[in-house]
């Protein structure tokens, strides 16, 4: 169980797993849908991979595809006594073989024939399993539990737009900036000012988020888990809850490394910025200088023709704070953030911990719908019933609508920050979701990572440029610029390098979190990670590469890019045979008594049958015999008996070309 607020490992939430796709406010559902597709692409081979693979496997795409289809129809016809394999979402190649009584190697070979490299433990999806199963006259039945059918979930942006029940909601804001520039002071100031006006006594509780009123009925939600750790950690889970970032810059200090980092975090997440130039109460400070500095990072103030609001404030004296809040509300109006309060609630966990006497307690940001006391809830691997809800003033609530942070009691465990928070109809559904999630997580842990092959293949079908995200840290500014420039020049029209963040200094924990969020690798040039960064990288499986020679950096990144290139399928000629007689053998069917005139014939290899120089059929060599014995291969000058799977009409005088298909990695310089 991760500590509250700890950076969660990717994929911790088995239900809605991460993918750091940049998220515009309101597009949560879209993002989740793509996440889900991407997830299945990455971890599980699907039918598309196979078609892509098959398309590449032949020189002529059309011919290959149609002949494959032809083969399929032949094999699927007599389906009177089809046997059934039940698949729970995905199944490993080995398990499928077992269920059908087929050797795993044979299945692996079949998959290879379709252009998919899979290991025995590789999970394949229902469609892929069906394709394989039909070849053995099996039918695949998907018995996966569909948790989306019982969970409350985010509506996609277009639906919200068209939903007559959708109303404007408050924006959710994260404050980011360099250490000591005033994040905590600002958040405290805003919270206290608000509470003092509304409540007697002004006691506030830290629950990780709070909502403040801004003038005529408008409100703004602040996440006050300070710093960018929470923001990025959530984004690492694909859970961008932030609509706006307040970038705080101390006027007496200016743009500092973490300021730049914050800008990059916000940009990477596609979240608009509002700049608060802080500490303007100090004598001799010049807000204009700060604006000037910010332009270097493509943050251009509105008054200078850009699109970023800059508000001078003093978190200490309170000067400018109201104006900042009004500006946030204004920005939110531009974004037109909407949600339907009449649905069952859906949200995200902001913070969670176990409290003595209260049990697991978590702060949830309700994003849509209305959460009610007594609702059955599911989050991560945990479920329960809302026993009590408190707001940040310690007041008990019976209901919480969209864009409301509440502290919820009643889950049976502690979820992680960023986990989805769903309402279900009853306890039975809640238990089913959790048990299906735990099963799935277990299945995934047990499947070994055919990572390289999987990555290769996941990359196969994509048309867009593949991007290698990098974080570059160096010891001096000169080498940073030089390396960055050279790295960015490395790409071609298929792949490119994107430096999502970088600068001078040691590799920090925040660099590692950003790397997780953007699926980046970290490059340290004459610098290494500090202790926290090293631990976070080990935990999160983030790769940190260290160098002291520029050429080595370039070579390594060139190799990375080569790895992103779609591999090429190359045909390797194995041999040629002449058919001298055709026999009919019971069970096997037509066997071509042949003579190997060139190279060799190998069982399982691909074959093309030619008659009078014309291609008449193709398939795999399914039987290969020397006299009565099955053999693996037969060399030049020998006779053999063979049959071609998928082509039964071999005739005397035909020639058969035998070949293999190999996936060959390409190099970026090719
Ligand atoms: P954080 O690290 O960004 O959370 O920064 P803090 O909020 O802890 O502030 C760092 C220091 O700056 C503290 O000593 C604050 O009192 C001081 N500080 C914050 N805001 C202001 C301000 O508007 N004016 C002045 N003079 N000092 C400030």
């Amino acid at each position: 169980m991760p500590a509250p607020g700890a950076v969660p490992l990717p994929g911790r939430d088995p239900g809605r797993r991460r993918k750091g796709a940049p998220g515009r406010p309101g597009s949560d559902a879209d993002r989740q849908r793509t996440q889900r597709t991407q997830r299945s692409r990455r971890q599980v081979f699907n039918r598309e991979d196979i078609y892509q693979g098959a398309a590449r496997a032949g020189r002529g795409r059309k011919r290959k595809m149609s002949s494959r289809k032809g083969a399929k129809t032949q094999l699927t016809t007599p389906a009177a006594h089809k046997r059934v394999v039940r698949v729970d979402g995905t199944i490993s190649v080995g398990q499928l073989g077992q269920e059908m009584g087929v050797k795993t190697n044979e299945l692996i070979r079949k998959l290879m024939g379709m252009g998919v490299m899979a290991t025995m433990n590789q999970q394949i999806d229902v469609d892929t399993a069906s394709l394989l199963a039909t070849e053995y006259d099996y039918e695949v039945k998907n018995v996966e539990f569909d948790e989306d059918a019982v969970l409350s979930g985010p509506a996609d942006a277009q639906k919200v737009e068209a939903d007559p029940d959708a109303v404007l909601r408050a924006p959710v804001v994260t404050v980011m900036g360099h250490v000591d520039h005033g994040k905590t002071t600002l958040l405290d100031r805003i919270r206290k000012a608000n509470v003092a006006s509304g409540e007697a006594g002004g006691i506030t509780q830290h629950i990780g988020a709070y909502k403040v009123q801004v003038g005529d009925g408008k409100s703004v939600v602040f996440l006050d888990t300070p710093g960018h750790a929470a923001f990025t950690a959530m984004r690492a889970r694909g859970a961008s809850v932030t609509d706006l970032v307040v970038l705080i810059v101390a006027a007496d200090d200016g743009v500092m490394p973490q300021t730049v980092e914050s800008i990059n975090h916000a940009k990477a997440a596609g979240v608009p910025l509002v700049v608060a130039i802080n500490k303007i109460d100090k004598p001799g400070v010049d807000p204009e200088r700060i604006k000037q500095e910010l332009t270097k990072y493509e943050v251009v103030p509105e008054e200078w023709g850009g699109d970023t609001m800059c508000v001078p404030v003093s978190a200490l004296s309170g000067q400018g704070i109201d104006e900042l809040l009004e500006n946030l509300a204004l920005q939110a109006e531009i974004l037109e953030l909407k949600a339907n309060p009449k649905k069952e609630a859906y949200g995200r966990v902001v913070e969670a911990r176990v409290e003595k006497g209260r049990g697991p307690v978590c702060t949830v940001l309700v994003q849509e719908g209305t959460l009610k006391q007594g609702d059955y809830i599911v989050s991560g691997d945990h479920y329960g019933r809302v026993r009590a809800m408190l707001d940040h003033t310690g007041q008990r609530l019976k209901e919480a609508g969209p864009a409301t942070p509440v502290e919820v009691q009643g889950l049976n465990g502690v979820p992680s920050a960023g986990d989805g928070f769903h309402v279900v109809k009853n306890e039975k559904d809640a238990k089913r979701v959790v048990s299906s999630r735990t099963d799935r997580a277990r299945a995934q842990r047990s499947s070994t990572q055919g990572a390289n092959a999987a990555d290769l293949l996941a990359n196969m079908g994509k048309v867009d440029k593949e991007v290698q995200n990098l974080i570059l840290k160096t010891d001096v500014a000169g080498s940073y610029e030089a390396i960055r420039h050279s790295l960015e020049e490395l790409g071609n029209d298929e792949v490119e390098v994107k430096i999502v963040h970088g600068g001078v200094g040691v590799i920090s924990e925040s660099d590692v979190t950003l790397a997780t969020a953007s699926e980046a690798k970290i490059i340290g040039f004459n610098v290494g990670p500090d202790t926290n960064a090293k631990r976070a990288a080990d935990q999160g499986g983030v790769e940190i590469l260290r160098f002291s020679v520029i050429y080595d950096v370039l070579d390594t990144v060139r190799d990375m890019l080569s790895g992103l290139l779609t591999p090429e399928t190359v045909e390797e000629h194995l041999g040629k045979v002449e058919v001298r007689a055709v026999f009919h053998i019971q069970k096997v069917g037509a066997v071509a008594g042949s003579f190997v005139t060139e190279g060799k014939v190998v069982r399982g290899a691909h074959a093309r049958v030619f008659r009078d120089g014309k291609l008449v059929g193709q398939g795999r060599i399914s039987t290969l015999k020397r006299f009565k014995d099955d053999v693996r291969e037969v060399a030049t000058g020998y006779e053999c008996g063979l049959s071609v799977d998928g082509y039964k009409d071999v005739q005397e005088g035909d020639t058969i070309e035998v070949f293999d298909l190999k996936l060959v990695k390409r190099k970026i310089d090719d």
Side-chain angles (χ1 to χ4, degrees):
M1 197 61 54
V7 176
L9 296 181
R12 243 301 265 109
D13 178 354
R16 288 164 190 262
R17 259 153 276 143
R18 54 157 220 125
K19 165 92 185 159
R24 287 226 155 251
S27 66
D28 217 24
D30 289 340
R31 193 169 46 245
Q32 287 209 353
R33 212 171 312 106
T34 24
Q35 276 161 25
R36 231 170 288 155
T37 337
Q38 279 166 346
R39 185 173 77 219
S40 64
R41 284 244 176 81
R42 298 207 131 251
Q43 291 157 347
V44 176
F45 288 130
N46 56 31
R47 203 206 302 244
E48 238 168 78
D49 290 333
I50 288 186
Y51 285 152
Q52 305 284 3
R56 278 184 180 82
R59 281 201 192 121
R61 180 191 172 108
K62 273 194 183 139
R63 192 182 64 205
K64 191 77 190 170
M65 291 289 278
S66 59
S67 83
R68 232 174 53 76
K69 273 192 189 146
K72 215 177 110 200
T73 2
Q74 270 180 22
L75 287 159
T76 47
T77 27
H81 53 279
K82 263 205 176 149
R83 293 154 297 181
V84 171
V85 183
R86 295 160 73 82
V87 175
D88 184 2
T90 63
I91 186 168
S92 71
V93 178
Q95 181 71 27
L96 181 65
Q98 243 178 30
E99 300 273 340
M100 302 193 300
V102 177
K103 283 200 179 120
T104 314
N105 280 348
E106 193 177 323
L107 290 186
I108 292 177
R109 222 178 300 126
K110 280 236 177 321
L111 282 167
M112 271 171 77
M114 298 165 169
V116 170
M117 297 290 182
T119 60
M120 178 169 130
N121 295 316
Q122 181 73 51
Q123 297 282 328
I124 53 176
D125 70 0
V126 176
D127 284 347
T128 310
S130 299
L131 273 178
L132 279 177
T134 40
E135 303 229 348
Y136 300 94
D137 217 11
Y138 268 86
E139 192 183 351
V140 165
K141 200 165 171 206
N142 189 3
V143 293
E144 187 183 23
F145 167 64
D146 179 14
E147 60 173 48
D148 289 346
V150 299
L151 289 177
S152 64
D156 65 47
Q158 276 165 349
K159 279 209 184 118
V160 175
E161 198 58 44
D163 187 346
D165 289 329
V167 293
L168 285 176
R169 65 163 175 86
V172 179
V173 175
T174 302
V175 178
M176 292 165 85
H178 196 69
V179 64
D180 279 349
H181 279 200
K183 294 181 291 290
T184 320
T185 314
L186 180 73
L187 281 161
D188 283 351
R189 177 103 215 159
I190 296 173
R191 180 171 42 190
K192 283 203 190 103
N194 172 258
V195 171
S197 64
E199 324 287 324
I203 307 154
T204 61
Q205 322 249 329
H206 175 88
I207 67 165
Y210 62 83
K211 194 173 196 171
V212 298
Q213 298 299 323
V214 188
D216 42 331
K218 289 190 210 116
S219 44
V220 177
V221 176
F222 285 90
L223 293 184
D224 72 345
T225 312
H228 14 197
F231 175 82
T232 317
M234 287 221 211
R235 201 167 76 76
R237 323 279 315 275
S240 188
V241 295
T242 302
D243 303 309
L244 287 170
V245 163
V246 168
L247 175 69
I248 188 162
V249 192
D252 61 343
D253 203 16
V255 172
M256 298 304 276
Q258 283 169 285
T259 317
V260 179
E261 207 172 272
S262 308
I263 295 172
N264 291 335
H265 275 76
K267 273 196 189 148
V271 176
L273 281 175
V274 171
V275 175
I277 301 174
N278 192 29
K279 307 197 185 183
I280 50 155
D281 56 291
K282 285 202 163 179
V285 295
D286 178 13
E288 297 304 304
R289 182 178 66 92
I290 308 298
K291 291 181 192 169
Q292 184 67 51
E293 283 179 20
L294 284 169
T295 54
K296 275 192 226 145
Y297 303 92
E298 291 163 37
V299 175
V300 184
E302 272 185 333
E303 53 273 35
W304 294 0
D307 55 7
T308 309
M309 294 184 185
C310 290
V311 189
V313 300
S314 165
L316 207 60
S317 73
Q319 187 188 341
I321 303 289
D322 285 343
E323 202 189 336
L324 175 67
L325 292 177
E326 276 159 28
N327 271 314
L328 289 174
L330 199 70
Q331 264 289 355
E333 257 171 45
I334 298 171
L335 295 173
E336 268 203 85
L337 307 165
K338 280 186 173 174
N340 177 354
K342 294 188 179 166
K343 296 175 27 173
E344 279 176 331
Y346 163 77
R348 290 274 172 190
V349 173
V350 176
E351 260 186 28
R353 64 194 176 278
V354 177
E355 247 182 46
K356 251 190 169 167
R358 294 174 73 203
V361 175
C362 65
T363 298
V364 178
L365 176 72
V366 178
Q367 294 179 291
E368 286 175 31
T370 300
L371 184 65
K372 302 185 184 86
Q373 198 173 332
D375 277 349
Y376 287 98
I377 46 176
V378 171
S379 187
D381 299 346
H382 312 288
Y383 72 96
R385 206 170 174 189
V386 180
R387 244 195 343 256
M389 285 194 285
L390 302 178
D391 71 5
H392 73 276
T393 64
Q395 213 164 18
R396 272 185 95 112
L397 302 178
K398 288 246 179 296
E399 289 191 350
T404 312
V406 274
E407 199 180 64
V408 173
Q409 246 175 288
L411 271 182
N412 66 350
V414 182
S416 304
D419 275 350
F421 187 92
H422 314 263
V423 169
V424 281
K425 287 215 163 45
N426 48 43
E427 187 167 7
K428 195 174 132 229
D429 283 351
K431 279 186 178 165
R432 278 190 76 188
V433 172
V434 169
S435 81
S436 115
R437 285 181 174 186
T438 12
D439 287 353
R440 211 164 38 202
R442 201 178 307 127
Q444 224 165 42
R445 270 198 302 276
S446 67
S447 88
T448 51
Q449 304 288 313
N452 285 338
D455 285 349
L456 277 180
L457 285 151
N459 290 327
M460 280 185 117
K462 297 186 184 159
V463 212
D464 292 343
K465 251 191 192 186
E466 286 293 338
V467 178
Q468 175 65 60
N469 283 341
L470 293 177
I471 289 177
L472 172 66
K473 298 299 280 279
T474 63
D475 54 343
V476 289
S479 46
Y480 176 76
E481 284 309 326
I483 298 174
R484 180 187 179 111
H485 187 70
S486 315
L487 286 179
E488 283 174 345
E489 297 233 301
L490 278 184
N492 61 17
D493 49 2
E494 285 178 73
V495 288
E496 67 180 4
V497 165
K498 190 168 169 206
I499 312 275
V500 286
H501 175 64
V504 174
V506 294
I507 296 160
S508 68
E509 192 174 355
S510 162
D511 293 332
V512 175
T513 327
L514 182 59
T516 316
S518 359
E519 297 193 339
K521 290 188 174 154
I522 302 179
I523 296 205
F525 186 76
N526 287 332
V527 294
D530 62 23
T531 332
N532 288 342
K534 192 167 177 334
R535 198 196 49 233
D538 289 345
Q539 274 177 3
V542 171
E543 214 174 323
I544 298 183
L545 302 156
R546 297 177 60 177
F547 300 91
S548 47
V549 178
I550 293 190
Y551 289 111
D552 292 343
V553 182
L554 298 182
D555 277 350
T556 307
V557 176
R558 208 176 278 124
D559 283 348
M560 279 180 207
L561 290 179
S562 298
L564 293 178
L565 290 172
T566 315
E568 203 175 1
T569 314
V570 177
E571 215 173 88
E572 187 190 17
H573 181 74
L574 293 178
K576 210 181 221 177
V577 307
E578 241 174 61
V579 180
R580 302 212 161 149
V582 178
F583 310 98
H584 285 272
I585 302 179
Q586 252 189 350
K587 284 183 188 161
V588 181
V591 170
S594 316
F595 184 77
V596 185
T597 54
E598 201 184 296
K600 60 183 179 181
V601 193
V602 179
R603 182 153 42 94
H606 296 264
R608 280 193 201 104
V609 184
F610 291 92
R611 191 166 304 148
D612 303 325
K614 267 202 221 137
L615 179 77
V616 289
Q618 57 186 329
R620 293 263 190 152
I621 309 262
S622 53
T623 321
L624 184 63
K625 285 181 183 290
R626 278 278 296 154
F627 304 107
K628 283 207 153 50
D629 300 329
D630 284 317
V631 287
R632 236 190 64 74
E633 58 175 72
V634 177
T636 320
Y638 289 96
E639 288 181 332
C640 62
L642 59 84
S643 56
V644 178
D645 194 10
Y647 187 70
K648 303 292 174 212
D649 192 28
V650 181
Q651 289 176 15
E652 197 181 318
D654 288 352
T655 48
I656 301 179
E657 252 181 44
V658 186
F659 62 97
D660 228 354
L661 289 180
K662 288 205 162 138
L663 280 184
V664 181
K665 280 193 183 179
R666 281 156 61 213
K667 282 213 143 145
I668 179 125
D669 298 328
D670 286 357

